[in-house]
Amino acid sequence: MYLFGHRGVPTEHRKRINSAKEPQHLTPEEPMWIPLRDWGGEIDPLSPRQDVLAGQKIGTGSRVGVVPMTGIFQRYSEVEHPMEGHLSCALVDGIHRSRTVREKKERAGFSAEELIALARDAAIIDEYDGLPLYEKLRDFLRNKVKLLVANAVDDEPYVSSGISTVLYYGKEVAGGMELIRSILPRSATGLLAVFAPSSIHGMSRITEHKLKVKVKKLNGNYPLWIGLDRWLAKEEKTVGKVGVQACRALYRAAYYEEAQTECMVTVDGEGIATAGNFSVPVGMTLSDLLQKCGLQKNARQVILGNPMTGIAVTNLQIPITQTTRSVIVLTTEHPGGKKSYPCLGCGRCNSVCPMKLYPGVVAKRWERGQAKNLENYHIEQCIGCGCCTVVCPAGRDLCTMMLKLKTNDPDPIQLYEKE
Amino acid sequence: MKLRLEPVPGQELRNILRDELIYRNSVVVGALGMCPVVAVGISLQNALLLGLLMAILMIPTCLFSAVALKNVPTWVRRPILCIVASLLYGLAMLLVEDLHTGFFEEVSLYAPILVVSSVLLTHADRCAEEENFWRALMHTIGGSLGFLLVLVLVGVGREFLTFGTIGGRKIFQNYHTIAATAMPFFGMIVIGYLGAIFKKISVDREKKQAKRAKRKEETV
Amino acid sequence: MELKTGKAPFYRYTDTVRGMMRNMLVVFAAMLVMPVIHYGWRPVITTLICITTCMVCTVLFYLLSGKEILAGDLAFAVTGTIIALMLPVNVSWHIAVIASAFAMLIVKLPFGGTGNSPFNPAAAGIAFVTLSFPNQIFQYYDITSGEKLPVFAGILDVPLTQSPTALLKTGARPTTILRDMLTGGFVGPMGTTAILVILACACFLILRKMAHWETMVAFLLGGTAFAALFPRVPGLSGVWYEILTGSFLFAAVFLVSEPGTTPRQKLGRWIYGILGGVFTMMYRWFGAYEQGACFAVLVINALSPTIDRWVWRLTNGGFGFISLPRKKQKKMKKTEAEVEQQ
């Protein structure tokens, strides 16, 4: 109950997980744009109209990608992806509808070099920070990580892809965590951190007993990972964070010899008919995904990523990559619609900031032209969560202002959306 | 430093007067000598008489400072000035009492305070550093006129709000006397508003000058 | 289907400024019910006069200063209603106009309007007319006299009586029954007599997040503690009389909790409220007038930035002799280091 003050913005009521059904595997109908990344090594380019098989590595020069489903390669091209930047892609169409189901192979333990090579071969990317998993494993070894935290903290509104991965593929996630833990120093432990509000059924399936790994269920307001970080800081061990989808992909690479060709994406919002979590092949275009999920005619904004820190896209011919955890379609344009007013002095921004900063006070000082000596307000601790902008009744964009003041950005600061 | 008697161009003297009255008014812009304005500047009559008193005290004292106290350090000059002003006070009292009996009982403490007023001392300091006699004289006259101007504005405003009269003449027939506007806090509020008005005049003038300078640059 | 771009975050609470002001007007409509029942339609007319004066002052000010007229948030209606509710029902209308004009033209608008004024404009307006017309502010229409209260007359000639606070100031015990006071069966300023309505409005404001509950509770606690320790009338009922008569409760709910003037930190708000309660009671004891809530509110408004600064220093390194215990400081430093690593 807010009466006794919680900082942050509550979001658990906006998550929809149908815990009875496994997430649907989608098959693309439009041509796929398979992202090619730099994994080192050389590969020969393909010629147009060449058949490619599921699991085959294709690429040009040092840029390599993995084909999710059998089809016909057309050509190479470049795409400006809002989250990944300039991305080289391979266009593949004529997708076969069948999916190959592989069998589990028993393997003895892996050494560190073997696991890192496996992660690189399987082209696994961590979905939270976009780094290749093999680089992260190398860093873990170098920094002698003692606590491995698998991140399924989906505390933003609508997003539940991490929670779904843990709900349905929990054993695989735990297996992947165990694999990583086996190459870390001997006293290293693993921890699965998952956002588990009471409104999501089936959370009782995620227990330490069932998954054989320590589980920490979190509940609270966005941004929850601040609380998680503070709790981890108390542990006084070197922490290494990894995403649950990357853990699962590592497990499947080790025991099923599969590369990471699918990612879990939450598609939700008022502009979608069938919302939920879907297993999407990497490279499926955004327009294809939205058509499959029932894009409504009154959709106004398509957001790649979560609503708090995502990007609104207008060009839907971009591929879904491993870092796309959610796609939200809204029928009302945000942040427009709220009439802008001067600051009321209501103080909600000050009471909601999770880092206990004072965005309202800083904004007033900036408006008066006194934006110097702001270290007294601890601006450098701002994490850009956006809570202050969410609660402001006067429609002021405080989050961007705080970030620009923190980084001394030369761009002019705009507190109001000019129409 | 000697005091010279060279003639000064009339335009410069007018600039000094204009600065003292508006752009660098001692009370409103310099925040000096607000105490008598705030406390007893509540009617036109009080304002005029206090202004006259200030002029009688200020002009001779500042000219004396310009002539005789040039190379004296500040901490010696100021007590001497206060003594000179208090010597003049007796003469001023006789004059003003003639104009309106009972005035000094009304204003009690705030008339003698003018002897040590910061308006007087600041102008005397400036006159001591001034080389030219005419400029010093203009500074002094301008300073006392500036003080008088603010006193009149504040006094007329407050008299109107408190009693509904100006100079003793009723403007409205059934005006309910507001006691709070005669209190010192309201004097501060009026000075605040005057400060805003004077600042706007200053800012407008600066904008005009900047425009003129820009136009000159463009034609050159 | 046309897609639009935008800036993150793409999620907003649905509170708007208009909505907040509408909530306040609902509260004030509720507050006006009891005065209308007791006194007829005159309270509504007085409220309308105050609101109109505030609106005219706002429009005039913005026209004269050449800026865009920022009256869409209806904050002038809030100020006007609070001023009207703190005046006696038999107040002459020129007093209401003077109070509203002072509040808007001198205390609120020159500082930048809503949220920027360091002083509560309604408290300042009432304080101004208390200084100017004390005998008219503290004489109330005698409802037991039987004479009807005219609705549209500017200056009234009705039998007047004193409120219980005047009796308390002389040390006598008021004669009203405490049970009657809950529904406003005693004389006082227009909006401050219906105790139950004020408490209900307080709950509404807290639940709608329009006011901080800490300031209200602290103000009441400070005043009650002072009244209990230094009672003017002996006994527990003496303390009840102190709290329920006059504008103490009204000030706690509507004047002190205005978010633009309170300190930003929780501890600061507690100190602010307690000081306010103590000052109100001290004004009642030692001041020239029988009620002192408005003056106390103005004093603590002036102290609000200082309280903020001191509480900030206290929680961020402390003064020389007062500081946080060592453990908490270490924890805070560690979190900062963690954030820097990211």
Side-chain angles (χ1 to χ4, degrees):
Chain A
M1 194 172 156
Y2 82 82
L3 187 66
F4 292 94
H6 277 302
R7 291 187 178 260
V9 166
T11 55
E12 69 169 76
H13 61 284
R14 286 181 179 261
K15 293 201 196 292
R16 288 190 268 188
I17 297 184
N18 189 340
S19 55
K21 295 194 300 188
E22 196 181 315
Q24 193 185 344
H25 293 266
L26 294 180
T27 315
E29 285 176 1
E30 289 178 15
M32 292 181 27
W33 298 68
I34 297 164
L36 309 172
R37 295 173 211 270
D38 207 333
W39 294 101
E42 286 281 321
I43 190 166
D44 294 323
L46 294 171
S47 40
R49 289 203 199 75
Q50 196 172 335
D51 280 334
V52 286
L53 300 168
Q56 179 180 345
K57 287 217 171 82
I58 61 173
T60 158
S62 60
R63 291 177 190 276
V64 179
V66 184
V67 180
M69 301 172 113
T70 310
I72 306 169
F73 166 77
Q74 295 298 332
R75 63 173 195 278
Y76 296 108
S77 63
E78 312 274 311
V79 148
E80 282 298 330
H81 196 273
M83 286 169 75
E84 311 255 359
H86 196 76
L87 201 57
S88 310
C89 294
L91 184 64
V92 171
D93 68 1
I95 314 286
H96 282 212
R97 294 196 147 261
S98 58
R99 288 182 70 239
T100 43
V101 180
R102 296 183 187 224
E103 284 194 358
K104 184 172 176 180
K105 300 196 170 79
E106 288 303 323
R107 288 287 302 265
F110 290 85
S111 70
E113 294 83 19
E114 279 175 355
L115 200 65
I116 290 175
L118 186 70
R120 182 202 255 164
D121 265 346
I124 302 176
I125 303 252
D126 186 319
E127 71 269 16
Y128 280 91
D129 44 27
L131 294 173
L133 186 63
Y134 80 94
E135 275 182 23
K136 289 189 80 158
L137 291 176
R138 258 196 218 143
D139 281 336
F140 289 169
L141 285 173
R142 206 180 312 137
N143 299 334
K144 296 200 184 48
V145 161
K146 288 277 177 66
L147 179 59
L148 177 74
V149 176
N151 198 349
V153 180
D154 289 335
D155 53 357
E156 304 97 346
Y158 299 113
V159 178
S160 52
S161 46
I163 304 174
S164 294
T165 312
V166 173
L167 259 181
Y168 297 107
Y169 307 115
K171 295 233 169 79
E172 296 185 357
V173 171
M177 283 173 67
E178 185 58 37
L179 277 173
I180 302 177
R181 204 187 62 76
S182 64
I183 66 168
L184 293 176
R186 197 168 304 175
S187 55
T189 48
L191 177 74
L192 177 63
V194 63
F195 180 56
S198 46
S199 56
I200 298 182
H201 301 291
M203 278 301 173
S204 50
R205 272 188 256 158
I206 308 177
T207 57
E208 193 168 332
H209 177 71
K210 287 202 181 135
L211 297 179
K212 312 272 185 305
V213 74
K214 194 165 169 212
V215 170
K216 183 153 180 71
K217 291 189 183 166
L218 302 167
N219 202 347
N221 295 339
Y222 168 86
L224 199 56
W225 44 274
I226 305 272
L228 180 65
D229 279 342
R230 286 203 184 121
W231 183 81
L232 290 174
K234 273 192 243 167
E235 298 279 309
E236 298 193 358
K237 289 186 197 167
T238 324
V239 172
K241 284 201 196 142
V242 68
V244 288
Q245 291 189 41
C247 286
R248 179 181 170 231
L250 187 65
Y251 179 86
R252 291 198 73 89
Y255 295 106
Y256 292 80
E257 287 173 6
E258 259 181 23
Q260 188 185 36
T261 51
E262 277 195 340
C263 54
M264 190 79 78
V265 176
T266 308
V267 185
D268 207 334
E270 298 99 30
I272 287 288
T274 47
N277 288 294
F278 299 95
S279 233
V280 177
V282 174
M284 185 169 175
T285 47
L286 184 59
S287 61
D288 202 1
L289 174 65
L290 292 175
Q291 289 302 327
K292 284 232 155 172
C293 299
L295 181 66
Q296 309 276 44
K297 287 216 183 80
N298 57 349
R300 283 281 164 273
Q301 257 181 343
V302 173
I303 299 164
L304 204 61
N306 65 71
M308 304 299 277
T309 54
I311 304 171
V313 295
T314 45
N315 171 24
L316 297 181
Q317 294 299 321
I318 49 176
I320 300 285
T321 59
Q322 291 96 330
T323 52
T324 312
R325 290 189 296 130
S326 59
V327 175
I328 315 293
V329 180
L330 300 172
T331 50
T332 51
E333 190 186 330
H334 279 85
K338 214 178 227 185
K339 200 171 168 197
S340 332
Y341 283 101
C343 174
L344 291 185
C346 66
R348 289 170 195 213
C349 50
N350 297 329
S351 29
V352 90
C353 178
M355 298 303 288
K356 301 206 178 140
L357 306 177
Y358 295 91
V361 181
V362 173
K364 276 224 176 116
R365 283 193 66 171
W366 174 79
E367 275 180 324
R368 289 184 198 143
Q370 299 165 353
K372 295 178 198 143
N373 299 331
L374 290 171
E375 301 88 37
N376 287 336
Y377 295 106
H378 298 305
I379 274 195
E380 67 277 357
Q381 290 185 22
C382 175
I383 52 173
C385 63
C387 289
C388 43
T389 312
V390 167
V391 298
C392 179
R396 284 152 71 86
D397 190 2
L398 298 162
C399 175
T400 321
M401 176 208 70
M402 290 285 276
L403 286 174
K404 281 192 179 159
L405 285 174
K406 171 183 169 185
T407 52
N408 287 321
D409 201 324
D411 267 348
I413 297 176
Q414 261 189 337
L415 273 177
Y416 297 100
E417 285 281 311
K418 295 218 173 87
E419 276 149 44
Chain B
M1 212 180 359
K2 273 177 95 179
L3 193 67
R4 293 196 220 133
L5 272 170
E6 289 160 2
V8 176
Q11 181 63 37
E12 200 177 322
L13 290 176
R14 263 175 292 193
N15 281 349
I16 294 176
L17 181 64
R18 190 190 54 194
D19 275 349
E20 287 288 341
L21 273 180
I22 303 177
Y23 299 118
R24 284 192 211 133
N25 187 305
S26 355
V27 182
V28 168
V29 179
L32 300 170
M34 283 198 283
C35 179
V37 175
V38 153
V40 286
I42 55 174
S43 65
L44 178 60
Q45 186 181 335
N46 274 7
L48 289 173
L49 291 172
L50 268 176
L52 178 65
L53 192 58
M54 185 59 147
I56 298 175
L57 289 174
M58 203 158 120
I59 299 178
T61 318
C62 292
L63 289 178
F64 174 73
S65 167
V67 167
L69 296 177
K70 276 208 168 314
N71 294 316
V72 173
T74 320
W75 61 276
V76 174
R77 191 192 303 146
R78 288 196 169 182
I80 299 179
L81 288 169
C82 293
I83 296 173
V84 169
S86 46
L87 289 174
L88 284 167
Y89 187 77
L91 181 68
M93 229 174 101
L94 290 172
L95 245 166
V96 173
E97 189 74 25
D98 240 0
L99 286 171
H100 175 74
T101 45
F103 171 70
F104 285 96
E105 271 149 35
E106 250 181 75
V107 292
S108 61
L109 164 68
Y110 299 101
I113 253 185
L114 292 177
V115 164
V116 293
S117 167
S118 37
V119 175
L120 193 152
L121 293 175
T122 315
H123 278 97
D125 275 345
R126 204 186 300 157
C127 289
E129 284 150 23
E130 184 61 62
E131 288 192 343
N132 188 300
F133 174 76
W134 300 112
R135 257 191 249 139
L137 180 64
M138 209 50 183
H139 267 299
T140 314
I141 295 178
S144 52
L145 280 179
F147 189 75
L148 176 66
L149 173 70
V150 174
L151 259 177
V152 165
L153 289 172
V154 172
V156 166
R158 283 166 83 185
E159 187 183 359
F160 180 69
L161 284 173
T162 313
F163 302 109
T165 63
I166 294 184
R169 277 198 220 120
K170 269 195 175 180
I171 308 291
F172 300 116
Q173 282 312 310
N174 295 323
Y175 193 83
H176 302 274
T177 311
I178 307 177
T181 49
M183 296 188 184
F185 81 92
F186 200 77
M188 292 292 195
I189 291 174
V190 176
I191 287 189
Y193 261 93
L194 279 179
I197 295 173
F198 276 51
K199 177 96 186 183
K200 180 154 169 61
I201 298 174
S202 253
V203 164
D204 278 347
R205 176 200 185 213
E206 272 168 32
K207 277 197 203 153
K208 255 197 236 169
Q209 282 182 338
K211 256 197 212 164
R212 234 181 281 155
K214 235 191 189 177
R215 240 182 278 151
K216 265 194 192 164
E217 264 181 44
E218 281 168 12
T219 51
V220 163
Chain C
M1 179 182 61
E2 196 195 313
L3 293 175
K4 309 245 172 173
T5 51
K7 252 194 318 181
F10 299 97
Y11 174 54
R12 294 280 196 276
Y13 276 3
T14 44
D15 282 346
T16 55
V17 172
R18 270 279 171 85
M20 285 167 73
M21 289 305 162
R22 237 177 272 151
N23 283 341
M24 287 301 284
L25 293 177
V26 160
V27 166
F28 291 132
M31 294 286 299
L32 278 173
V33 165
M34 290 308 289
V36 166
I37 291 177
H38 283 297
Y39 300 116
W41 289 105
R42 195 182 165 85
V44 176
I45 306 293
T46 316
T47 314
L48 284 175
I49 287 180
C50 286
I51 293 179
T52 316
T53 317
C54 289
M55 184 173 68
V56 165
C57 290
T58 314
V59 171
L60 263 179
F61 186 89
Y62 282 121
L63 280 177
L64 280 176
S65 59
K67 292 194 188 143
E68 189 195 330
I69 297 180
L70 294 167
D73 58 356
L74 297 183
F76 62 85
V78 175
T79 312
T81 320
I82 297 182
I83 291 177
L85 288 173
M86 291 192 79
L87 292 168
V89 73
N90 53 303
V91 72
S92 321
W93 285 339
H94 67 269
I95 296 182
V97 168
I98 289 169
S100 312
F102 182 82
M104 295 306 279
L105 284 178
I106 292 179
V107 178
K108 185 163 175 186
L109 292 166
F111 288 97
T114 326
N116 288 319
S117 163
F119 295 101
N120 190 320
I126 299 291
F128 187 75
V129 290
T130 313
L131 287 174
S132 307
F133 311 101
N135 48 348
Q136 280 166 323
I137 295 285
F138 293 122
Q139 299 275 22
Y140 304 94
Y141 163 64
D142 193 358
I143 204 169
T144 57
S145 71
E147 229 182 271
K148 206 164 162 253
L149 192 67
V151 179
F152 286 109
I155 302 176
L156 294 188
D157 186 19
V158 288
L160 301 169
T161 180
Q162 287 182 321
S163 85
T165 42
L167 284 173
L168 282 170
K169 197 155 174 76
T170 58
R173 178 182 286 273
T175 50
T176 30
I177 312 171
L178 282 174
R179 220 182 319 125
D180 275 347
M181 292 170 89
L182 290 179
T183 51
F186 65 109
V187 282
M190 220 167 14
T192 62
T193 50
I195 307 294
L196 281 179
V197 178
I198 297 180
L199 290 175
C201 292
C203 294
F204 181 80
L205 287 177
I206 295 174
L207 289 174
R208 286 284 179 147
K209 245 188 176 174
M210 310 269 304
H212 303 289
W213 64 274
E214 299 113 359
T215 337
M216 290 186 204
V217 170
F219 194 84
L220 288 171
L221 271 180
T224 318
F226 195 89
L229 290 172
F230 307 104
R232 285 191 287 192
V233 171
L236 185 63
S237 58
V239 180
W240 280 118
Y241 280 125
E242 293 284 3
I243 304 174
L244 297 179
T245 57
S247 45
F248 179 66
L249 199 59
F250 187 89
V253 173
F254 291 103
L255 291 183
V256 167
S257 58
E258 190 189 303
T261 49
T262 57
R264 314 268 177 245
Q265 299 161 83
K266 217 187 250 190
L267 177 61
R269 273 182 238 138
W270 279 97
I271 299 175
Y272 177 82
I274 290 177
L275 272 180
V278 169
F279 283 158
T280 312
M281 289 301 165
M282 284 174 77
Y283 266 107
R284 283 193 182 184
W285 262 238
F286 310 114
Y289 306 115
E290 61 197 50
Q291 288 172 27
C294 295
F295 304 109
V297 166
L298 289 175
V299 168
I300 54 174
N301 281 341
L303 288 176
S304 170
T306 313
I307 294 176
D308 243 341
R309 218 173 295 141
W310 282 13
V311 172
W312 180 265
R313 274 182 64 186
L314 198 64
T315 51
N316 280 286
F319 300 101
F321 50 93
I322 306 174
S323 66
L324 278 184
R326 291 267 164 192
K327 258 199 223 164
K328 221 176 181 177
Q329 279 190 352
K330 236 206 239 171
K331 241 194 244 175
M332 277 166 55
K333 280 200 189 129
K334 224 183 192 167
T335 328
E336 287 174 33
E338 270 284 311
V339 172
E340 272 175 32
Q341 265 178 24
Q342 287 178 0

